[in-house]
Amino acid sequence: MITAGIDVGGTKIEAQIFNDSFELVSKNRCDSPNSYDALVDAIADQMRWVEAQAGERLPIGIGSAGIIDPNTGIALTANLPASGRALPKDVAEKAGRGVTFVNDCRAVALSEAVFGAGRGHSTVISLVLGTGVGGGVTIGQRLFNGPTCTGGEFGHIAAAAHVVRAHDLPLFPCGCGRIGCVETYISGPGLVRLAKHLTDAELTSSQIAARRHAETAEVWDIWCALAAELIHALTVTIDPDVIVLGGGISRIEGVADDLMKAAKARQMGSFGSPPIVIAQGGDASGARGAAYAAWQEANFQGTDA
């Protein structure tokens, strides 16, 4: 065993331990708490579980929803009770050791670029469609990080105005503090919100997907249009070799094909679009990516685990 990753999301926290081939050795999952103190305790408990299982001090990476301000160490997150709090510092103090923090969607990008559906490609984007919307960019199997650490917050790009206007959609407030973010329409809750607005029916995302060739066809078409506009923006900005879909919506059968078709329709002229594929790592991708980030830090930057 050489490293471990902890995936911290809006619904669950899962610790995973990996061997020197980055194969999963053991894992432990708990529900995500609703309060900040309980969240810090739960993450620290998972770190203690890792060390107890490993019998040694391993590099540990935490892939967490939200982002950390590099100047203050304060978290901003729409889907965890941690906004305005010094999450990395508090976890380190509670666990009594250092840890590598990386956004969970960036962790998916790294995992898929090194081990999964993006393997063999130079520039890989992850697009994670779940409780929220996020992603990451890897170049040469390393995360591309900028000075603000907000690169990859794709869900907080404004939704395409012409699509919103064409379908007379309301502007929804986002957990980030802005209004009209694309996340509010194309995340799992966003899809449910669209269906409620368009059909006045209380449907789950699974029910909407199952009926997308019948009574929820309009909902699905508008969802695809909004998601495809985001993909177009990513394409003309970064021009990746491949876009890897993760998150709960990625498990809908045929979603990659539907998005690929919609994205091609929105590309300029006869220019191509990057292939859209499903993450191979499934629920393991975020934890594995965080573990790999911790391993990279420990081995290439001399960071003490």
Side-chain angles (χ1 to χ4, degrees), residues 116-143:
R119 189 173 185 178
H121 294 285
S122 176
T123 304
V124 178
I125 285 181
S126 67
L127 179 58
V128 180
L129 306 172
T131 306
V133 174
V137 180
T138 64
I139 300 174
Q141 298 188 333
R142 296 189 72 85
L143 280 172

Side-chain angles (χ1 to χ4, degrees), residues 86-97:
L87 183 61
K89 176 178 175 288
D90 292 342
V91 167
E93 288 180 352
K94 190 73 174 183
R97 56 156 295 163

Side-chain angles (χ1 to χ4, degrees), residues 6 8 15 25-26 39 97 118 125 130 153 163 170 179 216 246 252 275 278 286:
I6 301 175
V8 182
V25 174
S26 187
L39 176 67
R97 56 156 295 163
I125 285 181
E153 291 302 297
V163 179
I179 296 174
T216 61
I252 294 173
I278 303 299

Side-chain angles (χ1 to χ4, degrees), residues 44 49 59 62 69 98 105 121 123-124 130 141 146-147 153 162 173 175 184 214 222 230 239 242 261 272 292 297:
W49 174 83
I62 294 179
D69 187 322
C105 299
H121 294 285
T123 304
V124 178
Q141 298 188 333
E153 291 302 297
H162 64 287
T184 65
I222 294 172
L230 173 60
D239 198 16
V242 65
K261 180 179 179 181
Y292 191 75
E297 185 174 288

